[in-house]
């Protein structure tokens, strides 16, 4: 098989890493890829979100399968263009990708099919309407920009003044871009978050192992939201009974609801859950694998990823093929100093070889590029130091030991990925 992977972050490096381990795979291209992916695939300097450019590339290289990593190509209609040519591709249609591309669309779907989610106060097209609605909501309130905002579109407002400030920035100063033109207000949920991601061919689906992301930049969940500072996976995140509830009350009604609405869904579907006192509720959908969740999930696979994704592309997913290692995994993200705000790039990265010598560790690249014989930083999230081991504690220890071998100027990472889970277990909870 010759496979094209679209994207250039840690999630795509994880996909390339596991696809390359398949004996069926003869060649992998990645567009655009990054400094680490370049060691495992042929990187093509093409913007994955540019549908016409990707179609032209695929015409030239004729991959047997294309796997889409990020949301932008999906929201821009890439898979529709591929299916029109009868090219095998993993990822939902443009219409189905609205689950991530429009929070109002996904909220309406949840409500229409009675899937548990936070109560919506309303969706508004003008700041005046939002200010008026803010007079009759309970604080804290969650404010969401309808469209894609690169992770900056959700704000938990403690009071009216903070809410007004966010709405002003989104709707009057256009700081979030067009994604912020429409605003949704919803009830704030309390509980532990969980990323539940499934793979579906439109008819059958298979859940991937559960993961937990750490969105805030600093330890103790302090500071601004990021794309994700680290993730871990262990089956203990989701006990069997809860898993059954998630499947019967959330996953199945969602897939059936989409099909009933005439929007079949194929690809990865990320369901962001809040485990509340009154049961699991949907926070958000993403039309793709999470990043860094993908790194933690793929570290645990015990199946041939190329075979399974090719099955999805052909509409014949066989869920029993998705076998998982019973162990745990962790991914610690190393970022440029200043991220998610302004940061400098071009810093030389040392210690990558020493880090990968640690048993069970794989360093997955995100914002890196090659500069001569060196690897240098080129983005906010730079590396995802990923480890699999027999227990979560051991996976975290290996990931942190590997992270301590790596250095670049300004490097930052959270020291408490998974600490809450291991702390609870140590306390016998
Ligand atoms: P995003 O990935 O940008 O859609 O942001 C989603 C994040 O916002 C989630 O991971 C939660 O931390 C938070 N969030 C979204 N909706 C709610 C809600 N109703 N209550 C509490 N937190 C929420
Ligand atoms: N890590 C969260 C996301 O990929 O959206």
């Amino acid at each position: 098989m010759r496979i094209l992977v679209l994207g250039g972050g840690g999630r795509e490096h994880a996909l390339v890493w596991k696809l390359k381990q398949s004996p069926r795979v003869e060649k992998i291209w990645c567009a655009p890829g990054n400094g680490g992916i370049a060691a495992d695939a042929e990187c093509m300097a093409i913007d994955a979100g540019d549908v016409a450019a990707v179609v032209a590339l695929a015409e030239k290289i004729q991959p047997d399968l294309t796997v889409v990593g990020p949301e932008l190509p999906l929201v821009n209609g890439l898979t529709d263009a591929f299916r029109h040519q009868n090219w095998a591709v993993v990822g939902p249609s443009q219409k189905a990708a609205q689950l991530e591309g429009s929070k109002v669309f996904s909220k309406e779907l949840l409500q229409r099919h009675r899937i548990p989610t936070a109560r919506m106060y309303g969706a508004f097209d003008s700041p005046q309407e939002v200010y008026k609605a803010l007079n009759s909501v309970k604080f804290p309130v969650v404010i969401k920009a309808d469209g894609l905002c690169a992770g900056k579109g959700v704000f938990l407002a403690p009071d009216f003044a903070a809410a007004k400030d966010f709405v002003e920035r989104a709707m009057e100063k256009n700081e979030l871009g067009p994604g912020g033109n429409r605003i949704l207000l919803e009830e704030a949920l309390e509980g532990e978050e969980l990323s539940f991601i499934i793979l579906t061919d439109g008819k059958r689906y298979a859940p991937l192992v559960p993961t937990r992301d750490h969105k805030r930049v600093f330890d103790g969940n302090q500071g601004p939201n990021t794309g994700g500072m680290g993730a871990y996976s262990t089956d203990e995140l989701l006990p069997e009974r809860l898993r059954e509830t998630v499947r019967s009350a959330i996953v199945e009604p969602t897939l059936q609801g989409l099909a009933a609405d005439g929007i079949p869904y194929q690809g990865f579907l990320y369901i962001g859950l809040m485990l509340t006192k009154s049961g699991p509720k949907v926070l958000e959908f993403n039309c793709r694998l999470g990043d860094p969740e993908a790194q933690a999930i793929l570290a645990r696979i015990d199946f041939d990823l190329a075979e399974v994704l090719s099955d999805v592309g052909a509409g014949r997913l066989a869920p029993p093929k998705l076998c998982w290692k019973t162990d745990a995994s962790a991914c610690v993200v190393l970022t440029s100093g200043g991220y998610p705000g302004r940061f400098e790039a071009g810093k030389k990265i040392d210690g990558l070889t020493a880090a990968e010598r640690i048993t069970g560790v794989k360093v997955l690249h995100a914002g890196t590029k090659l500069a001569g014989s060196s690897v240098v930083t080129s983005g906010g999230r730079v590396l995802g130091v990923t480890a699999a081991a027999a227990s979560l504690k051991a996976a975290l220890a290996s990931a942190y030991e590997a992270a301590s071998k790596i250095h670049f100027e300004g490097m930052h990472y959270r020291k408490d990925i998974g600490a809450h889970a291991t702390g609870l277990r140590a306390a016998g909870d």
Side-chain angles (χ1 to χ4, degrees):
M1 277 176 79
R2 293 148 40 97
I3 303 183
L4 170 63
V5 175
L6 296 181
R11 166 184 48 216
E12 289 76 26
H13 195 185
L15 285 165
V16 167
W17 169 45
K18 287 295 164 181
L19 287 170
K20 200 183 171 194
Q21 288 176 353
S22 165
R24 294 161 197 265
V25 174
E26 177 196 316
K27 165 97 194 172
I28 307 176
W29 297 271
C30 189
N34 62 39
I37 293 175
D40 297 317
E42 185 182 346
C43 292
M44 314 298 276
I46 278 179
D47 173 4
D50 182 341
V51 173
V54 176
V55 167
L57 172 69
E59 235 152 29
K60 200 167 93 196
I61 63 178
Q62 303 267 316
D64 299 303
L65 180 69
T66 298
V67 181
V68 186
E71 62 278 15
L72 195 59
L74 300 166
V75 171
N76 287 350
L78 184 115
T79 62
D80 307 73
F82 270 54
R83 290 193 183 107
H84 186 69
Q85 305 271 8
N86 264 326
W87 295 340
V89 60
V90 176
S93 66
Q94 183 170 36
K95 200 161 183 203
Q98 286 300 298
L99 276 185
E100 177 165 0
S102 164
K103 293 203 191 296
V104 174
F105 173 92
S106 67
K107 201 77 198 175
E108 285 172 355
L109 180 113
L110 287 162
Q111 290 180 332
R112 191 161 56 245
H113 299 289
R114 300 181 186 286
I115 299 160
T117 186
R119 181 180 151 218
M120 177 165 81
Y121 295 114
F124 311 94
D125 293 304
S126 80
Q128 287 71 29
E129 288 175 85
V130 189
Y131 303 144
K132 193 166 157 227
L134 281 171
N135 286 317
S136 48
V137 304
K138 186 166 162 264
F139 287 96
V141 70
V142 174
I143 311 181
K144 295 186 172 180
D146 180 43
L148 294 182
C149 292
K152 296 192 170 77
V154 178
F155 180 60
L156 179 71
D159 52 38
F160 185 91
K164 184 159 189 283
D165 178 64
F166 181 83
V167 175
E168 231 168 57
R169 286 192 286 114
M171 297 185 102
E172 303 201 46
K173 298 184 187 152
N174 289 318
E175 284 181 21
L176 301 176
N181 290 349
R182 195 166 192 212
I183 290 279
L184 184 156
L185 297 180
E186 72 177 33
E187 160 205 24
L189 297 175
E190 278 178 42
E192 297 269 19
E193 281 186 49
L194 187 86
S195 306
F196 193 81
I197 306 176
I198 62 160
L199 181 61
T200 174
D201 66 357
K203 299 185 286 286
R204 290 154 292 245
Y205 80 93
L208 311 185
V209 285
T211 42
R212 177 162 292 146
D213 187 11
H214 297 62
K215 287 214 163 78
R216 304 295 194 97
V217 71
F218 299 125
D219 285 9
N221 296 328
Q222 301 297 309
N225 263 338
T226 67
M229 295 296 293
Y232 65 89
S233 173
T234 155
D235 291 344
E236 288 164 49
L237 267 172
L238 195 60
E240 189 60 34
R241 220 162 48 101
L242 192 53
R243 191 183 168 93
E244 280 315 310
T245 309
V246 170
R247 292 183 71 149
S248 60
I250 292 173
V251 178
E252 283 152 26
T254 300
L255 293 176
Q256 285 157 10
L258 281 163
D261 294 345
I263 314 170
Y265 194 101
Q266 183 257 50
F268 293 100
L269 174 61
Y270 173 128
I271 308 175
L273 295 172
M274 188 72 95
L275 306 177
T276 75
K277 280 195 195 117
S278 51
K281 295 190 179 176
V282 177
L283 288 176
E284 55 162 341
F285 290 117
N286 293 318
C287 57
R288 52 175 170 81
L289 278 168
D291 184 340
E293 287 93 332
Q295 291 86 316
I297 290 170
L298 292 168
R300 289 187 61 194
I301 70 173
D302 202 7
F303 59 87
D304 184 325
L305 184 64
E307 178 184 344
V308 165
L309 292 184
S310 152
D311 287 350
V312 171
R316 47 156 201 267
L317 172 69
K321 281 190 190 170
L322 282 87
C323 298
W324 301 91
K325 296 179 190 152
T326 52
D327 60 8
S329 61
C331 171
V332 176
V333 175
L334 313 185
T335 72
S336 295
Y339 171 81
R342 285 160 58 104
F343 57 84
E344 285 177 21
K347 309 292 182 196
K348 184 168 177 292
I349 305 172
D350 293 311
L352 292 169
T353 313
E356 287 211 314
R357 265 194 220 114
I358 294 160
T359 312
V361 168
K362 172 79 181 172
V363 180
L364 295 164
H365 290 232
T368 74
K369 65 176 190 188
L370 298 175
S373 58
S374 305
V375 181
V376 301
T377 64
S378 65
R381 292 194 291 175
V382 177
L383 298 164
V385 182
T386 306
S391 67
L392 178 57
K393 223 171 155 179
L396 287 164
S398 301
Y400 276 115
E401 190 190 345
S404 75
K405 309 274 182 209
I406 299 175
H407 177 76
F408 53 85
E409 194 189 312
M411 179 172 109
H412 164 72
Y413 60 94
R414 274 182 67 161
K415 312 293 184 298
D416 66 345
I417 303 302
H420 183 52
T422 46
L424 279 179
R425 283 176 353 151
D429 191 329

